[in-house]
Amino acid sequence: MKFLHAADIHLDSPLAGLHARGDIPAEIIQGCTRRAFQAMIDLAIAEDVAFVVIAGDLYDGDWKDFSTGLFFASQMRRLNRPCFLLRGNHDAQSVITRSLNRLPDNVHEFSSRTCQSIALAELGVALHGHSFPNRAVPEDLSAGYPAPAKGLLNIGVLHTSAEDPGGLHDRYAPCTAAALALKGYDYWALGHIHERRVLQERPWIVFPGNLQGRHVQETGAKGCTLVTVEDGRIVAAEHRSVDVLRWALLEVDATGADLATLTDRIGRAVTPAIAAADGRPLLARLVVTGETDLHERLRGDHEGVAATARDAADAAGGTLHPETVRIRTRAPARGAEERLAPLRTAFAAGLDDPESVAALLAHLAKLRAGLPPDLQATVEIPLDEAALRAFADDAWALAASALEEPRA
Amino acid sequence: MRLRDLSLHRYGHLSDIVLRFPERAALCVVLGANEAGKSTALAAVGDALYGIHDRSPAAFLHGAQTRVGITLAAQDGTTAGFVRRKGRKNTLLDPAETPLPEAALQRFLGGAGRDTFEGLFGLNGDRLRAGAIDLAQLGGRVGESLFAAGTGLTGLRAALERIDEEAKTLVGDGRGKRRLAQALDAWHAARRMRDEREIRPAAWQEADRARAAAHAEIAAQREDAARLDAETSRLERVRRVLPLLRALDAARTVRDCVAATPRLPEDAAETFRRLTAARAEAARAEARTTDDVARLRADRDALVRAPDLLAAQDLIDALAAPCAVAVQAEADLPAQERVVAAQRSVVAQALRDLGLPLTPEQARDAVPPQPARRLVRRLRGEHDALLQRRDAARQALAAAELRKSQAEAELARLPPAPDPSLLRSSVEQARAAGPLDAALATRERQHAAARAALDTALAALPLWTGDAAALAGCALPLAPAIQETAAALVTAETRAARAAEAIAAQRHTLADIAARLVQVARGETIPTPAVVAAARTEREAAWQVLRAALATGQPADAGAIAAYEQARDAADLLADRRADEAHRVSEHLGLEASRAASSQRLGEAEADGEAAAQALADAQADWRALWAPAGIVPGSPAVMADWLRQRADVLKLAEAARAAQQACEDVGHAREAARALLLPCVPDRPQDGSLATLLLAAEDRCAADERARDQRRAVEAALLRETDALPALRHAVAEADAALVVWGEAWQAAVARIGMPAADPDLAEAALEAWQRIEMSADPWRTAETRVGQMRESLAAFAAATRTALARAARPPADDPPAAIAGRLGRELAAARAAEARATELTKHVAAQEAASRDAAAQREAADAALAALRAQAGVADDVALEAAIADARKRDAAEREIAQRLAELAVAGDGQDEAALRAEADQADPDALAARLQALRAERQACVAALERATEERTRRDAALAAMERGQDAAAAAQDMRHALADAGAAAERYARLHVARTLLQAGIARFRRAQQAPLLGKASAHFAALTGGHYAALITDENERGETVIQAVRDTGHECPLEALSDGTRDQLYLALRVATVEAHCAAAEPLPFVADDLLVHFDDARALAALRLLTTLGRTAQVVLFTHHDHIATLAASLGSPEVAVIRFGEGAVVPAAQAA
């Protein structure tokens, strides 16, 4: 017997970080979470799984388009086998979740009032799950999960930040792997962390990661976990990629490189990423670092770097679309740097003037306040003096570049 | 640090060039022509100090062997030599090429990097001008101006504007939408789009409810329709079965009335009708046939018949075919007889033409054979051709003889032809020499120009009044002697100048000290120890006077007391002042000491000056003596060096004039040679004497000779051609005559064969034509003759047959033409045959009618028998009763059939219900109300259908709406657009934030730099600017402009303040130079001074400005060595004119160092 474990599908949520003027074909981006979900259903049918478990965050919390729920219902009809659905923090606040009261009969939603156990006697399986009643669940829900059903394969379904050492995700229903293991279940189907993590084997405690990467921080293969059960015991929990496009963060060190060397290094960064994408389009952020004579040239030629990466991807037999190009190089400590040293000193001294710093921060705060709330949370505009000092390095690079630019 | 020398071992295009910079020269002017390598040397300084980079253009020639050497002197006086080679490692070497660490050089550089060296200590004319332009663009803002001048950076304002411009494109300045605003607009638009496209759950639920309602409505309507349909069906069934039931009842009544009638066959009525009809018909036929037999027999007996004719019918029939032939022969015979006569007449006429004694019939058979006639005709044709051939040959011979005689006459008339080859050769030779007239004119002009240039140069050469030859031959001193003596003279002059300068300096120093002493003393007594001691001595003296008086007990004299007190106060005051003004006192003492020392040094300097003056007088005497043998009173060494160069130039011009003269003569000789070649050939010599005219005349003569020669050659060729042709023409005439003889013989034989004695070919043609006519008439004549015979024979045979037939038919003979008789017999025979045939036919009809009468009687009897049998079956005695019985039987059968049919119809119309149920259902219905009820039901059903259609439409619409909601409106795409716009807005905001911080901090940094540097820098720059402008501008001050920015103003000597924008370009150049020099000085005060290297710095300066700038650079040179590269002699001359021992002029490439004073 096999079953499929997925989580954090975030149906119809958009990709982040892509610019409107980018040259990424619309068909690559359009509906990618839907296509990934369809691919997952295809996989479930092809593998003839007994059932599917979705451990939360099927929808995006603030997503209101009801056609998303209808799409999910249509895919469930296509699946035509049991699907056990747990509400995560996003689903709890989702208008769709609250309104979609007519799911196909094969979809079983775990109760949000208490931990619900569902026994599938014909399969010898018992599932236990507790949906999020609302977005913020600060307590450890796993504590309320019942003791394992005897003689059955017990699967705990839980949406949780677990211990989340990276702290990248919001803290919800925290718990520890050790506590989960002590429950005596055979498999914990977790959700919420977007990166695939196997916290423990036997018993298996698995975050399958999200189904489709949606920004440059969600790199690598994305998909679900295919669990194989033999003689009432789990023998394998394999990752299966169902994403339709990949993200990559490619950092290229340009230290001491001339143009040919840099091209070669970009190629060496791109080639394995293309190979890993396994034929999928690759959206990549290209970050060039290091001390190089090419510093000035690179700063004015983002498109050149992007074109080099695209060429390298072509040569590697794949497709790469630069999400953005970040030039983080610096010029060797000589030449213009030395000539501009007095000015740089005077420039940096401005940060020692409290009035000047206060005026700058006030201006930047006003700028930030004029941005949409979503953007305010992510935009890199300094809020305090320490951040302003770090920011001033970039500003100096701009000033130096303007000074070095030839007269029109 | 100072440069001592720069050795360009292998650098750029230069090799083994050494530039030595005088140790004591504050300003070193390096003079070199364009392309001499000044810029290369300038770059070499930087490369020597900081390395030759990998792709340096300086290595284009020597590659890895590129080397540059440099000797440096530190401030402490130590010197060191270095060699820099091109490479990546160990590029710094000592003079023995041993690698050195870079640190060995660093102590001379004081930590300054290449950019500092090149940016701050390097300046050229372009950068000076760019800096000055920048000052104007900066609006004189002092911070930027000082910073730009101090760092050598330009474009501060442009950079700030660039940042501003970009910031405006992102956030804007209130005029129009910018990138951030556009991105936010796009975000709002995408958000609206997303909201519009989102399918709301409430909308979905509402649509779902509406769809369910539509489905329910459809179900209700369908139920109503079914109910209505059932009632309609029942009522319509009643309406259908009611008439059927009535008909069934009626049929059953009829059947019951005739139930006792015997059963007869189905077709009994038909059989009865058929048998009675047959019986009547048979009786009518019997009567009719009996009448027909009697009428036919009467007709047969009335016919007229002719057995005689029938007996002769074969003979009569045999006349029919020959009758037509005979009639045709009778018609055609006259025409054939006319043909025979006509053809015989043609032959008779031909015989007359031939003149032969034959009858036409004989001639018809005696036509000569065709081959013989063809031979005569061919020979006739050949005769004409042979005659034409003979005539043509004779004419050609005559024409050739005529042309030959004409050519002989023409040849006799033409004079003998001249030979133009010699003349042609001479012309070609003269032409090959080219346009010698023009060349000679050009050479002469060149010679005149060269001569004029020589004369001008000779006249301009000072110190000389002779000609060029004398100048070339004059006894000049040897170059080493000149160099040595000149060097001594320069040294002496330098020494004298320095001595004079030292004297002046010492005198100046003394004057300064004196003035300072006056200033220190401020007109008061300086409380020196001596003055204090004198005051105390005076006080003591007054005290002694007073003490003596007191000691003696005498009352003190008030004057003595006052004198003492005055002396005491003066001494105390001096002592107090001495204590208070210790510094001034000390300075005064120092000044006094300095004055003494300076006085001593002045004495020494004056002594040195006298010695130097003596040495100078000796050197000048040696210099004059050196040039005396050449008869020249020399100027200064520089003047004489220039004179020597001018002399060399004059001699070069003299050589050029001589070469031009020689070239002129060479061309003249060539021209005369060409003329000499042509003149003998041209009898009519042109008057102008030019070679071109002569050449044209020779060309004409040559062409005329060639034409005469060609004409005679053509006539000779014609005569030869005609002479050669005559024998062949004569032979052709003989051949034509012989052919005619042979033809005559063949002709005689041929005409004899056709029976013609005459030999005249024209007569033969007529005979041939007559025989042709006879031959053409012979065949038609014979044919017509045969046809006439045949016609006459057939007419005779037909007349005999006619007569025989008349006799057989027993008809009397007649005189009618045979054809008429035969026709009449034929017609009579035809009538006889028709009568006979009619009789035979009537006989047959009689027999047939008799048989038909018999058949009718038999049929009548058979019908009677069948009717009797039918009557027996019906049990009746006669046919009338039989007919009634048959009718009753038919009525009963019909009633039974109707009953069965109605029952079947009832089964169909009753929807399968039995008769009893139907009767029961019909009994309950009110037939009168049925129609009205059905009408009402139809109306209800129609309303029901309409309602169902509406409900179906509603359901379809609701289904489509739900399907559209399931598909969605791609709100996700709008959400994706929101993200795109958000990313754009974020990027714009971040970029703007960086630009804003950059702009703010950069401007603040510049202001900070100004505040730190303004006072000392501006003070020095002010003094330099005053010096550079010769006092036209007194100072530089700072002020605020209308925007509150601190700006520089120049103050004129009149006190008038002048903004930077109002200064002329040249003055602004001077201001920038003043700022730059002040900055270098400031830098040198804080760090190791590096050499200030300038390249063609003063190209835009007039002499006065350049002189002032040179003085300023000399002043700077006392702090930091100044090397000025230039290719302008006047700059070097101006530098030399300063007459300062601190200024040296080096000629690039000569390696010589010429003290400026001496160079002047």
Side-chain angles (χ1 to χ4, degrees):
Chain A
M1 181 197 74
K2 294 176 187 172
F3 69 90
L4 208 60
H5 166 206
D8 301 292
I9 292 160
H10 294 276
L11 267 178
D12 279 343
S13 65
L15 305 183
L18 298 174
H19 290 255
R21 286 176 295 280
D23 57 352
I24 304 172
E27 63 269 20
I28 288 181
I29 301 169
Q30 201 166 24
C32 62
T33 54
R34 285 196 184 203
R35 285 185 281 133
F37 189 66
Q38 279 173 327
M40 188 195 85
I41 299 300
D42 290 344
L43 175 68
I45 293 167
E47 292 287 348
D48 193 21
V49 299
F51 57 90
V52 172
V53 177
I54 297 176
D57 286 359
L58 171 61
Y59 309 115
D60 239 16
D62 56 353
W63 187 243
K64 300 187 184 76
D65 185 11
F66 199 66
S67 75
T68 305
L70 299 175
F71 168 77
F72 172 71
S74 74
Q75 292 302 313
M76 287 298 102
R77 283 191 288 275
R78 194 162 73 86
L79 176 66
N80 197 27
R81 58 200 77 203
C83 175
F84 298 96
L85 186 61
L86 185 91
R87 289 188 190 179
N89 54 307
H90 277 279
D91 303 319
Q93 65 169 1
S94 168
V95 176
I96 303 170
T97 306
R98 290 198 297 273
S99 310
L100 195 66
N101 50 11
R102 247 189 15 196
L103 282 170
D105 294 340
N106 58 326
V107 181
H108 307 280
E109 201 172 26
F110 287 107
S111 168
S112 59
R113 290 191 297 278
T114 180
C115 180
Q116 182 183 9
S117 295
I118 301 169
L120 303 173
E122 69 281 11
L123 296 173
V125 171
L127 294 107
H128 314 278
H130 189 166
S131 287
F132 273 34
N134 45 56
R135 181 186 175 94
V137 176
E139 70 275 18
D140 177 5
L141 287 179
S142 70
Y145 277 47
K150 286 184 181 171
L152 298 177
L153 182 88
N154 285 272
I155 299 171
V157 187
L158 179 62
H159 197 75
T160 173
S161 57
E163 290 158 283
D164 189 20
L168 294 173
H169 298 78
D170 294 334
R171 186 175 161 84
Y172 292 127
C175 60
T176 64
L180 295 179
L182 282 174
K183 275 287 173 190
Y185 292 175
D186 299 282
Y187 187 91
W188 278 98
L190 306 184
H192 187 58
I193 304 292
H194 286 194
E195 183 186 7
R196 174 177 165 78
R197 292 178 193 169
V198 179
L199 302 184
Q200 188 171 323
E201 295 183 5
R202 294 179 193 82
W204 292 80
I205 305 174
V206 177
F207 281 107
N210 58 345
L211 214 54
Q212 169 63 56
R214 294 172 303 144
H215 52 76
V216 78
Q217 303 304 328
E218 295 180 348
T219 57
K222 296 288 179 184
C224 53
T225 298
L226 181 68
V227 185
T228 308
V229 180
E230 286 178 5
D231 301 328
R233 294 180 61 243
I234 290 171
V235 296
E238 308 159 86
H239 170 78
R240 292 300 180 89
S241 298
V242 294
D243 50 350
V244 295
L245 59 90
R246 286 276 159 86
W247 291 84
L249 181 58
L250 304 179
E251 187 166 323
V252 179
D253 185 0
T255 302
D258 58 13
L259 211 52
T261 313
L262 180 62
T263 302
D264 184 48
R265 288 183 192 172
I266 290 173
R268 276 189 273 145
V270 166
T271 303
I274 287 292
D278 198 19
R280 295 168 177 81
L282 185 67
L283 305 186
R285 176 175 292 180
L286 302 162
V287 183
V288 188
T289 61
E291 185 175 294
T292 170
D293 286 332
L294 300 172
H295 173 67
E296 291 303 330
R297 178 175 183 154
L298 291 174
R299 277 206 309 209
D301 192 19
H302 288 209
E303 183 45 40
V305 174
T308 305
R310 278 195 290 265
D311 291 347
D314 280 349
T319 311
L320 181 144
H321 301 284
E323 175 239 19
T324 187
V325 175
R326 298 254 163 104
I327 303 300
R328 298 271 185 256
T329 54
R330 58 188 184 281
R334 57 180 169 75
E337 292 280 323
E338 185 183 328
R339 194 143 42 87
L340 294 175
L343 187 54
R344 170 142 208 193
T345 305
F347 182 93
L351 295 169
D352 297 330
D353 176 11
E355 277 185 26
S356 171
V357 168
L360 276 174
L361 287 175
H363 187 85
L364 297 180
K366 189 177 170 192
L367 174 68
R368 174 191 279 269
L371 301 176
D374 283 358
L375 187 54
Q376 287 184 32
T378 57
V379 73
E380 288 181 29
I381 295 177
L383 285 172
D384 53 31
E385 190 177 336
L388 181 62
R389 281 187 183 279
F391 197 73
D393 286 345
D394 280 353
W396 168 252
L398 275 179
S401 175
L403 283 164
E404 289 297 305
E405 224 173 278
R407 282 164 187 258
Chain B
M1 179 268 279
R2 285 176 177 263
L3 301 175
R4 284 291 175 79
D5 60 45
L6 177 69
S7 304
L8 304 164
H9 299 305
R10 287 180 291 280
Y11 189 85
H13 64 289
L14 303 174
S15 300
D16 299 328
I17 299 278
V18 179
L19 284 174
R20 291 198 175 80
F21 303 101
E23 185 181 349
R24 292 174 55 194
L27 169 62
C28 192
V29 179
V30 181
L31 176 62
N34 279 328
E35 307 295 330
K38 296 193 309 297
S39 300
T40 306
L42 198 55
V45 176
D47 279 358
L49 294 177
Y50 296 101
I52 305 168
H53 62 76
D54 273 355
R55 290 181 295 280
S56 169
F60 80 94
L61 181 60
H62 303 296
Q65 296 305 311
T66 302
R67 290 272 195 292
V68 59
I70 195 163
T71 304
L72 304 175
Q75 272 187 312
D76 60 7
T78 58
T79 63
F82 301 94
V83 174
R84 179 72 73 174
R85 70 174 183 84
K86 181 179 178 294
R88 290 175 182 274
K89 290 195 300 186
N90 295 331
T91 59
L92 186 65
L93 313 169
D94 67 8
E97 300 258 315
T98 306
L100 291 174
E102 290 291 332
L105 194 55
Q106 283 303 317
R107 68 189 183 87
F108 290 93
L109 299 173
R114 185 174 201 139
D115 267 49
T116 303
F117 173 69
E118 290 179 350
L120 185 57
F121 289 91
L123 188 64
N124 61 23
D126 292 340
R127 286 165 67 185
L128 176 73
R129 176 52 57 91
I133 291 168
D134 219 35
L135 285 185
Q137 289 178 344
L138 291 167
R141 286 204 297 276
V142 68
E144 287 91 329
S145 306
L146 289 178
F147 189 86
T151 58
L153 272 177
T154 57
L156 276 172
R157 181 183 175 80
L160 287 168
E161 283 177 350
R162 213 171 279 139
I163 292 172
D164 275 347
E165 282 302 315
E166 192 184 346
K168 281 178 196 167
T169 65
L170 296 169
V171 173
D173 53 358
R175 294 193 296 273
K177 296 254 174 169
R178 302 299 177 158
R179 194 174 138 201
L180 178 59
Q182 285 168 349
L184 290 176
D185 284 352
W187 179 77
H188 284 296
R191 190 169 65 169
R192 280 195 300 277
M193 181 66 76
R194 184 203 63 184
D195 292 346
E196 285 168 10
R197 287 183 178 180
E198 274 177 355
I199 307 298
R200 303 303 167 97
W204 163 263
Q205 283 154 3
E206 174 56 33
D208 200 29
R209 273 196 299 276
R211 180 175 68 168
H215 279 270
E217 173 67 13
I218 287 170
Q221 290 301 332
R222 282 183 177 156
E223 196 177 331
D224 277 356
R227 181 180 53 75
L228 293 171
D229 288 347
E231 188 179 355
T232 305
S233 172
R234 185 172 58 76
L235 295 180
E236 282 182 343
R237 184 166 63 242
V238 170
R239 288 192 79 184
R240 281 197 307 276
V241 302
L242 270 176
L244 291 177
L245 288 173
R246 289 194 191 102
L248 187 60
D249 292 343
R252 281 177 177 150
T253 306
V254 170
R255 181 195 62 187
D256 295 345
C257 289
V258 289
T261 304
R263 293 216 173 261
L264 292 174
E266 279 286 317
D267 59 348
E270 176 59 27
T271 305
F272 174 75
R273 192 167 47 252
R274 180 172 52 78
L275 288 174
T276 52
R279 184 179 60 192
E281 178 61 24
R284 282 193 298 275
E286 196 175 0
R288 189 174 59 246
T289 50
T290 304
D291 293 345
D292 285 347
V293 167
R295 185 175 46 82
L296 289 170
R297 280 181 179 158
D299 289 347
R300 186 178 62 189
D301 293 343
L303 288 173
V304 178
R305 305 171 78 170
D308 296 340
L309 273 175
L310 290 175
Q313 62 183 337
D314 293 343
L315 291 175
I316 295 168
D317 287 341
L319 289 176
C323 179
V325 174
V327 170
Q328 186 64 42
E330 257 183 304
D332 293 348
L333 186 59
Q336 288 300 323
E337 286 169 343
R338 282 195 299 276
V339 170
V340 168
Q343 295 301 336
R344 191 174 185 282
S345 149
V346 169
V347 173
Q349 180 60 41
L351 277 175
R352 281 193 295 278
D353 292 346
L354 283 169
L356 291 176
L358 296 173
T359 65
E361 285 74 12
Q362 287 170 329
R364 186 175 63 181
D365 299 331
V367 176
Q370 189 70 17
R373 280 182 285 147
R374 273 203 297 273
L375 178 62
V376 171
R377 187 169 285 115
R378 181 171 62 77
L379 287 172
R380 171 74 186 86
E382 283 178 358
H383 182 246
D384 290 346
L386 288 171
L387 280 180
Q388 283 176 4
R389 178 181 161 196
R390 186 195 60 190
D391 293 345
R394 283 177 180 169
Q395 283 172 5
L397 178 60
E401 283 172 341
L402 177 63
R403 285 195 299 274
K404 178 170 175 278
S405 62
Q406 283 172 343
E408 283 168 347
E410 178 69 13
L411 199 59
R413 189 182 58 77
L414 285 175
D419 181 5
S421 59
L422 179 61
L423 183 53
R424 174 56 65 193
S425 165
S426 299
V427 166
E428 294 295 334
Q429 208 172 335
R431 193 170 290 288
L436 291 173
D437 286 336
L440 180 59
T442 304
R443 294 297 184 194
E444 282 172 349
R445 280 198 303 278
Q446 287 172 348
H447 178 229
R451 188 68 220 172
L454 173 62
D455 292 345
T456 306
L458 202 55
L461 183 67
L463 309 176
W464 189 258
T465 53
D467 60 5
L471 182 64
C474 78
L476 290 178
L478 295 174
I482 293 173
Q483 204 167 359
E484 187 182 350
T485 313
L489 179 57
V490 168
T491 306
E493 283 174 344
T494 305
R495 185 183 166 194
R498 283 180 182 165
E501 198 174 327
I503 291 166
Q506 290 304 332
R507 283 177 180 156
H508 183 70
T509 305
L510 272 175
D512 283 351
I513 290 169
R516 186 63 188 156
L517 278 169
V518 170
Q519 192 180 4
V520 169
R522 296 195 197 104
E524 302 167 2
T525 307
I526 294 296
T528 61
V531 171
V532 174
R536 281 176 177 161
T537 305
E538 198 174 338
R539 183 192 66 189
E540 193 59 35
W543 171 249
Q544 288 305 327
V545 172
L546 188 61
R547 189 175 185 276
L550 291 173
T552 58
Q554 292 176 356
D557 183 35
I561 293 169
Y564 169 72
E565 286 174 349
Q566 190 176 3
R568 183 200 62 197
D569 292 345
D572 287 350
L573 183 63
L574 279 173
D576 292 344
R577 278 178 58 203
R578 180 171 166 72
D580 292 343
E581 299 186 33
H583 172 68
R584 198 157 71 92
V585 170
S586 167
E587 187 181 1
H588 191 271
L589 288 175
L591 286 169
E592 286 289 1
S594 296
R595 181 162 61 180
S598 287
S599 298
Q600 188 180 351
R601 282 199 293 275
L602 178 61
E604 290 169 2
E606 285 172 344
D608 195 24
E610 286 172 11
Q614 183 56 46
L616 179 59
D618 292 346
Q620 286 170 336
D622 290 347
W623 180 247
R624 284 191 294 273
L626 184 67
W627 291 92
I632 292 170
V633 179
S636 68
V639 169
M640 290 316 290
D642 195 37
W643 185 85
L644 285 172
R645 274 195 299 278
Q646 287 186 41
R647 173 181 175 271
D649 292 344
V650 168
L651 293 181
K652 278 182 195 168
L653 289 171
E655 176 56 24
R658 196 199 59 73
Q661 186 178 11
Q662 183 60 47
C664 193
E665 287 170 359
D666 289 348
V667 174
H669 289 152
R671 180 173 172 279
E672 284 313 313
R675 280 178 59 80
L677 201 61
L678 295 173
L679 279 173
C681 308
V682 183
D684 302 326
R685 296 180 183 177
Q687 295 302 314
D688 65 354
S690 75
L691 175 61
T693 316
L694 186 60
L695 195 56
L696 283 175
E699 284 267 20
D700 293 345
R701 175 66 190 276
C702 186
D705 288 355
E706 283 170 349
R707 280 196 302 276
R709 181 196 61 191
D710 293 344
Q711 190 180 4
R712 185 171 181 84
R713 278 180 182 170
V715 174
E716 284 171 350
L719 178 58
L720 186 60
R721 194 166 58 244
E722 299 302 337
T723 307
D724 288 347
L726 278 177
L729 293 172
R730 287 188 185 114
H731 180 68
V733 171
E735 271 188 341
D737 289 343
L740 274 173
V741 172
V742 170
W743 176 85
E745 289 166 359
W747 175 256
Q748 291 300 332
V751 296
R753 282 187 64 196
I754 64 168
M756 285 184 61
D760 187 346
D762 294 334
L763 291 177
E765 184 65 30
L768 284 173
E769 195 270 334
W771 280 117
Q772 181 72 24
R773 276 184 277 142
I774 293 170
E775 186 181 33
M776 288 176 67
S777 295
D779 283 346
W781 183 8
R782 287 192 191 98
T783 304
E785 210 169 43
T786 305
R787 183 86 179 108
V788 167
Q790 288 169 344
M791 286 177 178
R792 286 179 180 156
E793 278 176 21
S794 64
L795 284 173
F798 180 67
T802 306
R803 284 190 297 272
T804 306
L806 270 178
R808 179 70 61 87
R811 294 289 190 270
D815 294 332
D816 296 336
I821 295 168
R824 191 168 63 241
L825 283 175
R827 287 190 296 275
E828 288 176 0
L829 178 60
R833 280 175 175 162
E836 199 61 35
R838 177 66 183 158
T840 305
E841 186 186 358
L842 288 173
T843 302
K844 283 179 187 171
H845 285 169
V846 168
Q849 290 301 322
E850 286 172 349
S853 177
R854 287 192 295 273
D855 289 345
Q859 285 172 3
R860 180 177 46 78
E861 288 165 2
D864 277 342
L867 282 169
L870 197 55
R871 281 193 299 272
Q873 193 176 357
V876 293
D878 55 20
D879 286 349
V880 175
L882 176 61
E883 195 169 9
I886 288 171
D888 288 347
R890 284 284 306 278
K891 195 182 288 181
R892 184 194 59 214
D893 292 347
E896 285 176 347
R897 277 197 302 275
E898 186 175 354
I899 288 163
Q901 185 185 348
R902 295 301 177 193
L903 285 173
E905 287 173 0
L906 200 62
V908 172
D911 298 332
Q913 294 188 38
D914 59 16
E915 186 180 338
L918 291 172
R919 282 188 185 281
E921 193 175 65
D923 290 345
Q924 290 171 358
D926 177 3
D928 298 334
L930 274 179
R933 178 60 189 154
L934 278 171
Q935 182 74 22
L937 282 174
R938 274 196 291 275
E940 284 180 43
R941 183 71 172 88
Q942 210 164 357
C944 188
V945 166
L948 187 60
E949 280 176 3
R950 283 195 300 276
T952 305
E953 280 174 14
E954 177 68 6
R955 184 193 62 185
T956 306
R957 199 164 58 78
R958 295 299 178 181
D959 284 347
L962 278 174
M965 284 182 173
E966 281 188 11
R967 283 196 303 276
Q969 299 177 57
D970 206 4
Q976 187 64 59
D977 289 345
M978 278 175 68
R979 288 286 184 172
H980 288 331
L982 216 53
D984 284 347
E990 286 177 9
R991 178 78 179 170
Y992 171 76
R994 284 187 179 85
L995 289 167
H996 178 74
V997 172
R999 174 75 170 83
T1000 307
L1001 293 181
L1002 185 60
Q1003 200 146 33
I1006 292 168
R1008 190 167 291 104
F1009 184 86
R1010 173 181 66 79
R1011 286 197 296 275
Q1013 303 289 332
Q1014 178 179 338
L1017 260 183
L1018 210 58
K1020 280 179 181 289
S1022 181
H1024 294 333
F1025 185 54
L1028 278 172
T1029 57
H1032 288 307
Y1033 288 87
L1036 294 173
I1037 59 164
T1038 57
D1039 197 358
E1040 275 199 354
N1041 65 8
E1042 64 280 3
R1043 294 189 294 277
E1045 298 162 335
T1046 308
V1047 298
I1048 298 178
Q1049 302 262 37
V1051 183
R1052 292 191 64 91
D1053 53 356
T1054 59
H1056 178 68
E1057 291 174 7
C1058 198
L1060 239 59
E1061 298 85 340
L1063 297 181
S1064 71
D1065 289 346
T1067 307
R1068 219 160 36 228
D1069 287 352
Q1070 290 175 309
L1071 175 52
Y1072 183 76
L1073 182 60
L1075 286 169
R1076 189 61 180 272
V1077 169
T1079 312
V1080 171
E1081 286 174 339
H1083 185 276
C1084 291
E1088 173 75 27
L1090 299 181
F1092 183 82
V1093 185
D1095 182 19
D1096 269 348
L1097 189 63
L1098 310 175
V1099 287
H1100 300 299
F1101 283 40
D1102 58 23
D1103 282 359
R1105 282 193 169 106
L1107 205 56
L1110 287 168
R1111 282 200 190 96
L1112 179 61
L1113 293 175
T1114 308
T1115 307
L1116 174 63
R1118 290 172 193 147
T1119 309
Q1121 180 188 17
V1122 178
V1123 179
L1124 174 63
F1125 287 86
T1126 183
H1127 68 273
H1128 291 289
D1129 285 343
H1130 76 275
I1131 298 293
T1133 307
L1134 286 170
S1137 73
L1138 287 174
S1140 167
E1142 293 176 305
V1143 180
V1145 176
I1146 300 174
R1147 288 191 183 280
F1148 189 85
E1150 293 178 7
V1153 178
V1154 184
Q1158 199 171 337

